[in-house]
Amino acid sequence: MQNERIFQLIEKSGQLPQLPENISNILYIIKNPIEADIDLLIDQVSRSSEINNMILKNINCGFFQLKKEIRTLREAIVYLGMQTVQNMMIFYITLQFFPQAAKTAGRTFDMHRYWKHVLGTSVASFLLARRIKKWDKYELFSYGLMHDIGIVVLDTCLPELLDRVAEKVLSGVHQIVAERICLGGITHGEIGAWLCRKWNIREDIVNVVEFHHTPYRAEASQELVKLIYIADVISSKLYEKMLGINIDHNLNEKVMNELGITDEHIQEVTRDFPEELEKALYYFSL
């Protein structure tokens, strides 16, 4: 199968990180957020000061406008919820064990620019949750951070193929179509889901990663996936404008209706989005 060929190329690239034992332990503990042992989790995270410090730094960065400074991981869990903090842990684990981005000199794809889209999806998710009063806005923000992990895998392990995708996107081809052409039928969603399962990451995150472009294919967490889908479209429009291209991204009206999202909601979020994204880009560090 063509999918297997791509996975084999990723494995053979020599760039796919092997997780150390304490990080594998963290991912195992948070496989089930409801039953996770908080004390055991805090103990394991404390052994990786970089992840612990990055989480606290970004929670306190100013974007979330918290009423108090969060000084410990335990406080973060109490204030923001176990699932939100766990999602952020997974995101920063990913950043720590993949290089910041493949070198961009001579490259078509620019990960630094694409990061604006990733963070933009989180911001749009945050604004949507606040506007329609569904889901916790902090939790939804944290899911947005993870949704395009497949792009990070491609940028690190198969940069030449990702550059081919980027060339087609710049010529006006929809990203998913371009990926299927260049990657033999597979997309970044499927690649990201493959990594998540390989790393034993929770199934709700796997669903967001794999189906954020095709929410009705998700067999679980479908409402969550639909929300990320809409946020991704909002963010994609700004990203593509930045690239100087205009690809049609019509929102699925059925998805909007099922979530109780109106055209007015989309207009309000779209209006606030650029300013809120600039704030997030200013505050968040990687």
Side-chain angles (χ1 to χ4, degrees), residues 24-233:
S24 294
N25 288 342
I26 291 171
L27 294 177
Y28 178 78
I29 293 167
I30 61 181
K31 181 78 171 178
N32 186 334
I34 296 174
E35 298 178 3
D37 185 319
I38 293 178
D39 292 327
L40 184 58
L41 178 60
I42 290 171
D43 175 67
Q44 288 293 326
V45 174
S46 67
R47 302 183 189 188
S48 179
S49 58
E50 185 173 353
I51 293 172
N52 185 78
N53 294 340
M54 186 66 78
I55 290 170
L56 294 177
K57 179 180 178 181
N58 282 288
I59 284 174
N60 289 306
C61 69
F63 177 79
F64 293 130
Q65 298 181 341
L66 302 180
K67 295 179 180 179
K68 58 175 286 188
E69 182 181 358
I70 305 298
R71 298 181 181 276
T72 67
L73 193 59
R74 187 180 297 277
E75 282 185 46
I77 291 170
V78 171
Y79 199 91
L80 296 178
M82 175 68 94
Q83 195 128 322
T84 299
V85 174
Q86 289 181 3
N87 291 355
M88 294 187 77
M89 280 182 200
I90 293 169
F91 176 65
Y92 291 118
I93 285 170
T94 302
L95 290 184
Q96 183 178 9
F97 290 100
F98 278 97
Q100 178 58 30
K103 292 181 179 179
T104 56
R107 297 270 319 271
T108 305
F109 180 80
D110 186 339
M111 191 60 173
H112 298 290
R113 184 178 283 182
Y114 195 80
W115 161 244
K116 292 184 179 181
H117 163 66
V118 174
L119 188 57
T121 301
S122 286
V123 170
S125 299
F126 183 90
L127 293 174
L128 274 171
R130 190 170 67 184
R131 186 69 60 187
I132 67 174
K133 296 179 172 56
K134 279 193 175 183
W135 284 86
D136 178 274
K137 59 187 179 183
Y138 304 120
E139 187 176 326
L140 208 58
F141 183 96
S142 67
Y143 278 109
L145 291 173
M146 285 296 299
H147 83 287
D148 267 350
I149 181 60
I151 294 291
V152 179
V153 176
L154 284 167
D155 190 50
T156 302
C157 300
L158 301 175
E160 298 87 357
L161 288 179
L162 186 57
D163 279 350
R164 289 185 207 169
V165 172
E167 288 165 8
K168 291 194 175 296
V169 170
L170 288 171
S171 72
V173 178
H174 190 286
Q175 181 174 334
I176 298 303
V177 175
E179 288 177 0
R180 293 197 184 282
I181 293 170
C182 298
L183 304 176
I186 198 171
T187 70
H188 70 276
E190 294 162 282
I191 291 170
W194 169 80
L195 179 75
C196 287
R197 292 188 176 105
K198 188 178 182 66
W199 282 6
N200 200 34
I201 289 173
R202 291 196 330 261
E203 198 62 28
D204 55 327
I205 293 176
V206 176
N207 275 284
V208 166
V209 169
E210 187 164 13
F211 300 119
H212 61 272
H213 288 284
T214 54
Y216 285 111
R217 291 183 57 204
E219 295 182 359
S221 308
Q222 201 173 88
E223 185 176 77
L224 167 63
V225 178
K226 289 174 185 174
L227 280 162
I228 298 297
Y229 153 74
I230 290 178
D232 179 73
V233 171

Side-chain angles (χ1 to χ4, degrees), residues 174 213 229-230 233-234 237 240 247-256:
H174 190 286
H213 288 284
Y229 153 74
I230 290 178
V233 171
I234 292 170
K237 288 181 178 180
E240 288 165 2
I247 299 174
D248 190 18
H249 288 280
N250 290 323
L251 281 167
N252 187 309
E253 290 187 11
K254 183 180 177 183
V255 172
M256 289 175 59

